[in-house]
């Protein structure tokens, strides 16, 4: 399967650095740099295409989109860290799938596959993903906030206030990513 | 502060009873004000007072005690306080033998005058600082500062009663008392002397209400904490509003949530911003929509290696051909060979390969029909026709969500069909009754 590279991005081009400083000046988070987004995404795309074209490419491209989005976003936001953590965990899970299956088979009263895999992977991975803390008691906000938590990566551990902030950042990045992808599609289909 | 108050009370008891309240009030307020001034002004000008203390040493014990007490209060005051000192000295000198109490009373009135002047000076300072919390209280707060610590704190309490639901302060100090104090403080500036008794009454009332301890300690503590610097003043106001940190934290939290919701509202393109609940639903729907768009676009991006060739310097794509059009046809040629090879082995793998590239198989007759149809028909209609064809061909890839993306792709179909013309089709005809067309 086409694996996503975890190599760090090269020397930060100026626009991103400038944007980071401006974001530091403002209290609100700055929109993600389009250039970094495009760089990461295109690099991932080229890797996917150069690797053997396999049927299940949709999912791979989608994951590449999210990963590039998470890389391009400033690491200050929690959702980007959660996304990258997910990617790493998934890769670890994938690489250890053989071991997991053996363990699952050996353990006779086997719990359902997903739970076992996630729990064992949680124990196995060196970068142990944080235990899903129950959502802290929120005084203000209603049950709809749980749906939002599920949507935003890493939303389960946050309280409502930071969840809203992360949502704003996530929406900005998502919108930039969608614009980028749409632009690419238009570019290619316009040939 | 307490010793001086007691001192004053003792002196008043010894002296004239009629001015008792006035003295206590004046001394307390003076003490409070002086403490404010002390903190505000920092170091005391000792040079201003030694002559005064020397002069006070020679007084009658009562007057001397009074003066000393007042001098202690005066310590650490300003240039304007030097005026006070001179006036006090004059009063002492003039009225030395003639009743220290009267002198003291007059001196206190002068003191209050000076205090009022100083407060005016502080009024000047305060707008510059301009950090009074709450819009409604902004007018009151300078006055409150001018009236001294106790008044200031009560003003804060007034604001609390007026603005927020902050309970205990409003509860402790009744509205009537607050109103009366308000009036007094409004009057304070123009009429110095008249306000002195009024203030005394007010403070006497306040002292009566809060005499048990909370209020008395609060104003004085607030005064001591108090008008030194605007940040401290703000904290004092807040403490006055709601003493427990929980309600303050609650308020802060609500404010933060509100401002973040506002920021989200600007991001999410929903025109009707009615209330928070519906806004939250809108946000959730928008996030879901964006994620769906990413998914759909990633599906449409399966358009082969040729799609990425123009943008990314890829060796293989360059090998196939530099230009976009040539790369397209060459890519197709390579693809066709691959498909032909795969088809000999197994149809399933061939189909999978094609699907992986985002291509589909269709009968040549259909392809030619499409190409001819697109030549004749109007472009939008051709979009529709091609779009309708493609989902049927592709099978699993198609769903309702793919249709929005496909109109852009169908342009490619039409163009490639027209560009390739008969050439590529004829090449394949030999192989099978099928043609490969790029979706």
């Amino acid at each position: 399967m086409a694996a996503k590279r975890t190599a760090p991005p090269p020397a930060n081009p100026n626009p991103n650095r400038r944007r980071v400083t401006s974001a530091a000046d403002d209290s609100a988070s700055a929109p993600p740099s389009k250039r970094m987004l495009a760089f990461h995404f295109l690099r991932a795309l080229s890797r996917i295409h150069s690797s053997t074209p396999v049927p299940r490419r949709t999912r791979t491209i989608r994951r590449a989109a999210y990963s590039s989005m998470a890389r391009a976003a400033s690491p200050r936001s929690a959702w980007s860290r959660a996304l990258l953590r997910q990617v790493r965990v998934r890769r670890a899970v994938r690489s250890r799938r053989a071991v997991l299956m053996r363990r699952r088979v050996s353990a006779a009263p086997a719990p359902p596959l997903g739970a076992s895999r996630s729990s064992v992977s949680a124990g196995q991975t060196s970068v142990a993903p944080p235990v899903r803390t129950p959502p802290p008691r929120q005084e203000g906000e209603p049950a709809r906030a749980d749906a939002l938590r599920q949507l935003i990566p890493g939303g389960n551990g946050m309280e409502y206030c930071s969840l809203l902030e992360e949502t704003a950042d996530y929406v900005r990045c998502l919108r930039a990513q969608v614009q980028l992808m749409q632009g690419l599609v238009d570019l290619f289909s316009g040939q | 502060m307490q010793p001086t108050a007691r001192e004053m009370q003792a002196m008043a008891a010894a002296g004239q009873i009629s001015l008792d309240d006035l003295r206590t009030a004046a001394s307390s307020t003076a003490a409070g004000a002086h403490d404010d001034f002390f903190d505000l002004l920092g170091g005391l000008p000792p040079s201003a007072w030694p002559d005064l203390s020397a002069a006070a040493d020679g007084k009658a014990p009562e007057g001397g005690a009074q003066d000393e007490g007042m001098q202690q209060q005066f310590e650490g005051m300003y240039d304007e306080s030097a005026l006070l000192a001179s006036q006090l000295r004059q009063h002492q000198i003039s009225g030395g033998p003639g009743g220290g109490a009267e002198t003291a009373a007059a001196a206190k009135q002068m003191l209050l005058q000076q205090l009022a002047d100083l407060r005016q000076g502080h009024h000047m300072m305060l707008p510059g600082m301009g950090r009074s919390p709450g819009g409604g209280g902004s007018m009151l707060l300078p006055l409150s500062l001018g009236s001294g610590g106790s008044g200031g704190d009560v003003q804060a309490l007034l604001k609390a009663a007026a603005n927020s639901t902050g309970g205990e302060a409003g509860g402790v100090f009744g509205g009537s008392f607050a109103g009366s104090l308000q009036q007094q403080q409004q009057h304070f500036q123009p009429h110095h002397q008249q306000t002195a008794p009024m203030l005394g009454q007010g403070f006497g009332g306040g002292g009566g209400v809060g005499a048990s301890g909370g209020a008395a300690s609060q104003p004085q503590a607030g005064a001591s904490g108090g008008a030194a610097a605007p940040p401290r003043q703000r904290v004092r106001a807040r403490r006055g509003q709601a003493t427990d940190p929980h309600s303050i934290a609650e308020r802060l939290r609500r404010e933060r949530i509100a401002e973040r919701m506002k920021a989200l509202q600007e991001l999410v393109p929903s025109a009707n911003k009615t209330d928070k609940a519906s806004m939250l639903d809108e946000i959730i729907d928008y996030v879901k929509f964006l994620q769906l768009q990413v998914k759909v676009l990633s599906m449409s991006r399966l358009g082969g290696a040729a799609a990425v060739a123009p943008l990314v310097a890829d060796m293989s794509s360059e090998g196939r051909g530099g230009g976009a059009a040539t790369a397209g046809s060459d890519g197709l040629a390579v693809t066709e060979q691959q498909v032909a090879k795969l088809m000999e082995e197994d149809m399933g793998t061939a189909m999978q390969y094609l699907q992986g590239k985002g291509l589909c198989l269709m009968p040549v007759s259909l392809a030619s029909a499409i190409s001819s149809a697109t030549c004749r028909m109007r472009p939008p209609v051709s979009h529709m026709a091609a779009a309708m064809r493609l989902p049927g061909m592709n099978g699993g890839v198609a769903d309702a969500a793919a249709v929005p993306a496909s109109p852009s792709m169908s342009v490619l179909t039409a163009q490639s069909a027209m560009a390739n013309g008969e050439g590529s089709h004829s090449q394949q005809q030999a192989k099978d009754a099928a043609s490969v067309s790029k979706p």
Side-chain angles (χ1 to χ4, degrees):
Chain A
M1 207 58 51
K4 269 149 286 305
R5 252 187 293 182
T6 49
N12 238 354
N14 282 334
N16 208 23
R17 199 175 289 144
R18 220 190 315 125
R19 217 157 303 226
V20 166
T21 53
S22 69
D25 296 345
D26 310 334
S27 58
S29 52
S33 163
K34 298 276 179 89
R35 216 171 283 188
M36 289 303 291
L37 257 182
F39 170 76
H40 283 297
F41 187 58
L42 289 174
R43 194 170 65 163
L45 261 189
S46 70
R47 282 192 82 229
I48 292 175
H49 283 293
S50 60
S51 67
T52 59
V54 282
R56 281 181 292 161
R57 219 194 252 175
T58 307
R59 212 171 18 160
T60 316
I61 292 185
R62 200 187 65 179
R63 287 195 202 138
Y66 283 119
S67 303
S68 66
M69 208 169 68
R71 292 245 173 70
S74 83
R76 274 187 300 125
S77 37
W79 63 266
S80 60
R81 290 196 295 264
L83 254 186
L84 293 177
R85 222 180 295 136
Q86 262 179 29
V87 166
R88 253 180 284 150
V89 166
R90 204 183 295 132
R91 188 181 309 183
V93 164
R94 213 180 285 149
S95 65
R96 298 201 167 114
R97 192 177 286 167
V99 183
L100 285 172
M101 304 251 298
R102 257 179 265 135
R103 283 210 191 172
R104 198 166 42 87
V105 167
S106 64
L113 172 62
S116 73
R117 194 194 310 175
S118 61
S119 61
V120 176
S121 69
Q124 271 190 348
T125 52
S126 55
V127 191
V131 184
R132 289 289 167 86
T133 65
R137 288 303 106 197
Q138 16 177 3
E139 302 88 18
E141 272 326 300
R144 294 180 204 81
D146 291 337
L148 195 57
R149 274 172 209 272
Q150 287 168 11
L151 280 180
I152 312 286
N156 273 324
M158 296 185 213
E159 50 186 11
Y160 189 65
C161 200
S162 44
L163 184 68
L164 285 182
E165 192 175 359
E166 295 296 323
T167 307
D169 201 30
Y170 189 62
V171 161
R172 266 186 231 116
C173 279
L174 256 186
R175 196 192 281 178
Q177 180 75 30
V178 164
Q179 281 171 4
L180 171 70
M181 290 171 79
Q182 183 70 52
L184 277 177
V185 165
D186 290 342
L187 183 65
F188 296 143
S189 66
Q191 288 176 3
Chain B
M1 201 139 10
Q2 295 293 337
T4 50
R6 269 184 253 126
E7 235 182 278
M8 286 305 179
Q9 284 174 7
M11 288 183 294
Q16 296 158 10
I17 320 281
S18 59
L19 291 171
D20 188 11
D21 292 344
L22 172 59
R23 275 177 215 152
T24 49
S27 67
S28 317
T29 42
H34 288 308
D35 283 343
D36 295 346
F37 300 146
F38 200 96
D39 289 342
L40 185 58
L41 308 174
L44 53 108
S47 59
W49 300 111
D51 41 355
L52 185 63
S53 55
D57 284 342
K59 293 301 172 183
E62 192 181 274
Q66 283 181 358
D67 299 334
E68 278 168 9
M70 286 165 52
Q71 284 160 33
Q72 284 164 16
Q73 298 165 13
F74 290 157
E75 270 186 1
M77 280 177 61
Y78 241 1
D79 298 338
E80 288 106 338
S81 62
L83 295 175
L84 243 174
S86 57
Q87 286 186 2
L88 180 62
R89 212 180 316 157
Q90 289 169 10
H91 278 288
Q92 289 167 358
I93 293 172
S94 62
E102 285 178 357
T103 310
K108 276 169 196 145
Q109 287 183 3
M110 295 302 300
L111 168 67
L112 289 172
Q113 267 185 20
Q114 297 303 322
L115 288 179
D117 295 336
L118 272 168
R119 279 166 214 135
Q120 280 180 354
H122 286 301
H123 288 275
M124 260 47 110
M125 283 166 59
L126 277 172
M129 298 181 209
R131 277 196 239 171
S132 55
S138 61
M139 290 310 296
L140 296 177
L141 197 55
L143 291 171
S144 71
L145 182 64
S147 64
S150 62
D153 213 3
V154 175
Q155 274 306 322
L157 297 173
L158 282 181
K159 262 186 302 158
N163 297 345
S164 73
T165 63
E168 20 178 301
V172 169
F173 292 90
S176 59
F177 169 63
S180 68
L181 198 56
Q182 219 171 2
Q183 293 169 11
Q184 291 159 18
Q185 287 172 348
Q186 282 170 5
H187 290 153
F188 203 80
Q189 242 177 318
H191 312 288
H192 304 293
Q193 309 220 349
Q194 293 173 14
T195 53
M198 286 163 65
L199 183 64
Q201 291 167 13
F203 192 75
V209 172
S212 50
S217 59
Q218 255 187 16
Q220 291 172 359
S224 64
R232 255 189 267 172
Q233 165 193 348
R234 184 152 52 155
V235 167
R236 176 167 54 115
R238 284 231 181 108
R239 217 188 310 149
Q241 278 185 20
T243 50
D244 59 343
H246 291 298
S247 48
I248 297 178
E250 268 295 314
R251 205 159 27 88
L252 269 177
R253 188 171 173 272
R254 261 179 269 137
E255 285 169 8
R256 267 193 297 166
I257 288 181
E259 79 181 77
R260 283 182 190 160
M261 284 292 293
K262 234 189 308 175
L264 269 175
Q265 270 181 7
E266 291 165 21
L267 273 182
V268 175
S270 71
N272 52 345
K273 311 166 188 191
T274 52
D275 64 323
K276 243 189 347 173
S278 62
M279 200 57 222
L280 196 52
D281 287 335
E282 281 283 342
I283 292 169
I284 291 177
D285 287 339
Y286 188 60
V287 170
K288 281 196 202 150
F289 164 71
L290 282 179
Q291 287 181 344
L292 184 63
Q293 255 193 319
V294 167
K295 185 169 156 194
V296 163
L297 282 173
S298 69
M299 265 195 279
S300 74
R301 195 58 53 71
L302 299 177
V308 195
L311 275 181
V312 180
D314 197 353
M315 293 303 294
S316 51
S317 62
E318 279 174 353
R320 282 193 215 112
T326 52
S329 57
D330 290 344
L332 275 179
V334 170
T335 310
E336 289 157 13
Q337 293 165 13
Q338 281 278 327
V339 170
K341 245 186 291 178
L342 283 175
M343 272 200 291
E344 289 169 17
E345 308 163 6
D346 176 25
M347 246 348 248
T349 52
M351 292 305 295
Q352 280 184 5
Y353 176 74
L354 277 179
Q355 277 185 8
K357 286 204 159 293
L359 306 176
C360 65
L361 279 179
M362 65 168 68
V364 175
S365 51
L366 183 56
S368 50
I370 286 178
S371 61
S372 57
T374 51
C375 289
R376 262 191 274 115
M377 290 197 294
R378 284 194 321 260
V381 186
S382 74
H383 285 273
M384 290 306 166
M388 285 190 301
R389 292 289 193 282
L390 286 171
M393 285 299 147
N394 277 348
V397 183
D399 50 352
V403 172
S406 49
S408 58
M409 295 186 295
S410 61
V411 174
L412 183 59
T413 306
Q415 289 182 357
S416 65
M418 289 191 289
N420 291 341
E422 310 298 321
S424 57
H425 297 323
S426 59
Q427 283 174 16
Q428 297 173 46
Q429 266 175 352
K431 275 296 174 183
D432 206 345
S435 74
V436 176
S437 66
K438 196 176 247 180

